[in-house]
Amino acid sequence: IVSFLFNVNVAAVLSSAGLSIPLIICERTDPFVMPMTRMFRLACRLTYRLADALMVQTQAVAAKYDLSGWGLRRVRVIPNPIPQQMIDLQYQEHSGTQKRLIAIGRLDEGKQFGVLLNIFASLSQHFDNWSLRIVGEGPLRPVLQQQVIELGLNGCVELPGQIMSI
C-alpha cells in the first residue's frame, strides 16, 4: 500500500494493521509547518511508526522527522521529478544591475506565497533593483494579485501563470 496525505496515511495504517501488507506512507509537504489539529498530529505520531517506510520530498523534512523522536523505522527522500521542459529552459540574460527572484509552485495555501510577498515587500524598500516572479497557477491567484496591489508591488512582482521560460 502506498498512501498520500496525513489523514489518509493515518487511516491506511489503522486499516492495514495485521494484514502483512507492506505500507509506505508519503508526505508531500512539510507537516511540521502545515496547519493540523492536535488530534491529527498525535494520530500521525502514534501511527506513522507502524508503517514500513515514510517517503518525504526533501532532506530537510527527513531531518525534522529524525529529530522529532517519533521512532520511525525508515524515512526516505524522493524529490519531485523535474520535467524535461524545465531542464531545457534557457536562462534569459538581463542587462544592468537588475536582479530577479523566481518562485515556482502551485498557488495555494501550502506554498505560502502570501508570506513570500510580505517579506519581499519589506525587503524591496531597501533593495529596489530586485524583482520577484512567481510562476504557477492555482486557486489563490486572485488573492495574491490583490496582495501585490495592496503592497504596492505592481512594478516589481509578476504572476505570469504557467510558462516555459523564466
Side-chain angles (χ1 to χ4, degrees):
I1 299 171
V2 179
S3 173
F4 293 85
L5 304 174
F6 68 87
N7 55 335
V8 179
N9 291 341
V10 170
V13 170
L14 295 174
S15 63
S16 66
L19 296 180
S20 300
I21 298 172
L23 172 62
I24 300 170
I25 56 176
C26 306
E27 287 289 355
R28 307 298 295 161
T29 61
D30 182 344
F32 294 94
V33 298
M34 288 299 293
M36 187 184 305
T37 66
R38 286 183 184 171
M39 185 190 306
F40 257 119
R41 192 163 309 280
L42 178 62
C44 291
R45 185 179 183 117
L46 295 174
T47 60
Y48 276 27
R49 68 183 73 193
L50 302 174
D52 293 288
L54 169 64
M55 189 281 298
V56 297
Q57 290 183 277
T58 67
Q59 194 60 47
V61 172
K64 287 179 183 181
Y65 274 109
D66 287 342
L67 294 172
S68 72
W70 286 25
L72 303 178
R73 289 191 237 177
R74 282 186 232 150
V75 177
R76 297 292 186 260
V77 177
I78 302 177
N80 279 341
I82 299 174
Q84 189 63 43
Q85 303 98 304
M86 294 297 289
I87 295 169
D88 294 339
L89 284 176
Q90 297 295 315
Y91 175 72
Q92 297 174 356
E93 196 64 44
H94 294 278
S95 61
T97 60
Q98 188 66 23
K99 299 180 184 335
R100 175 182 286 165
L101 297 171
I102 299 174
I104 302 173
R106 188 177 60 254
L107 304 182
D108 69 13
E109 285 293 333
K111 303 300 182 186
Q112 299 188 347
F113 287 122
V115 173
L116 175 61
L117 287 172
N118 287 334
I119 293 168
F120 185 78
S122 66
L123 292 174
S124 68
Q125 299 169 19
H126 307 288
F127 302 97
D128 60 353
N129 61 328
W130 284 84
S131 66
L132 171 63
R133 176 178 273 191
I134 301 174
V135 179
E137 276 301 337
L140 285 188
R141 169 176 282 289
V143 173
L144 295 172
Q145 288 173 320
Q146 183 61 38
Q147 187 176 355
V148 167
I149 293 167
E150 289 171 3
L151 292 171
L153 298 173
N154 283 339
C156 56
V157 173
E158 300 173 76
L159 291 128
Q162 282 186 313
I163 60 172
M164 295 318 290
S165 68
I166 53 174

